[in-house]
Amino acid sequence: MLKVHVLDELYHHSSNVAHGVEVPAGARLLFTNGQVGTKPDGSTPAATMDQAEVIFGRLTAVLERANMTLGDIVRFTVYLTDQVDVKTFVEVRDGLMGDHKPGATLLVVRGLARPELKIEIEAVAAKVDR
């Protein structure tokens, strides 16, 4: 079971993230590559929200293959190409993650690997098998 640390003495993030997430001894770790909003048919939606939804679907598939869920995510690293899309990402993430609060780093960058990409997300997950 992951132990989430949200410290009252530190500034609270405006969204659903922890200051730290503790991984218990014996946990399996999964590191995803950067997931982008490209669908299996090779198309990439134009809207950042749609790309984020595709990304979370891809992350879910990778997690399921490892017998994990979104609730096993320890942290995200998020790359956006436009500051205005931070709110969109937060809405999609919080809607899917519920009360689970993984750590996160969010960066606004000049560009990603292809010009149509507006968001890329890496995740680290951990799970103790019982």
Side-chain angles (χ1 to χ4, degrees), residues 105-118:
T105 297
L106 193 149
L107 300 113
V108 177
V109 298
R110 181 173 291 178
L112 295 168
R114 297 192 321 265
E116 71 273 18
L117 299 175
K118 297 180 179 185

Side-chain angles (χ1 to χ4, degrees), residues 55-87:
I55 289 168
F56 274 96
R58 291 170 59 121
L59 287 171
T60 298
V62 173
L63 290 161
E64 286 176 353
R65 181 62 58 99
N67 193 30
M68 295 180 177
T69 68
L70 291 173
D72 296 311
I73 292 178
V74 175
R75 72 169 286 106
F76 289 114
T77 303
V78 181
Y79 304 89
L80 289 165
T81 60
D82 192 332
Q83 179 76 35
V84 77
D85 290 327
V86 171
K87 183 179 180 202

Side-chain angles (χ1 to χ4, degrees), residues 11-92:
Y11 174 78
H12 283 245
H13 294 278
S14 59
S15 62
N16 198 23
V17 293
H19 292 107
V21 179
E22 189 174 340
V23 176
R28 292 183 297 116
L29 296 175
L30 173 70
F31 297 82
T32 74
N33 69 325
Q35 298 295 319
V36 297
T38 302
K39 296 178 180 182
D41 67 4
S43 66
T44 303
T48 302
M49 178 172 283
D50 295 335
Q51 288 188 27
E53 289 172 352
V54 170
I55 289 168
F56 274 96
R58 291 170 59 121
L59 287 171
T60 298
V62 173
L63 290 161
E64 286 176 353
R65 181 62 58 99
N67 193 30
M68 295 180 177
T69 68
L70 291 173
D72 296 311
I73 292 178
V74 175
R75 72 169 286 106
F76 289 114
T77 303
V78 181
Y79 304 89
L80 289 165
T81 60
D82 192 332
Q83 179 76 35
V84 77
D85 290 327
V86 171
K87 183 179 180 202
T88 299
F89 161 71
V90 168
E91 287 174 3
V92 172

